Amino acid sequence: MAQEALKTGRSVSELVLDKGLLTKDELQFILLPNNLVRPHVQTTTVGALGGPLPD
């Protein structure tokens, strides 16, 4: 994603939204300063992108 952002001059956030990897609300939540400093522990069996969590 970072390589594509560099090649195209677009932000990673733009690419994530355009590719439908996260919703705008999900991306905004992830990028909140408190979440970047103190990440939340995933408590469900589904990962942030809809796939299963790794074992």
Side-chain angles (χ1 to χ4, degrees), residues 14-55:
E14 276 184 280
L15 293 173
V16 167
L17 293 174
D18 286 350
K19 292 177 183 287
L21 299 175
L22 295 170
T23 66
K24 185 176 179 180
D25 289 338
E26 290 170 329
L27 185 59
Q28 287 176 337
F29 178 78
I30 290 168
L31 296 176
L32 287 172
N34 283 343
N35 292 337
L36 295 173
V37 176
R38 292 183 154 175
H40 291 75
V41 175
Q42 182 71 32
T43 59
T44 66
T45 58
V46 177
L49 301 179
L53 292 172
D55 291 332

Side-chain angles (χ1 to χ4, degrees), residues 1-15:
M1 195 65 61
Q3 288 177 346
E4 185 175 347
L6 286 171
K7 286 179 186 176
T8 62
R10 298 174 69 198
S11 70
V12 171
S13 295
E14 276 184 280
L15 293 173

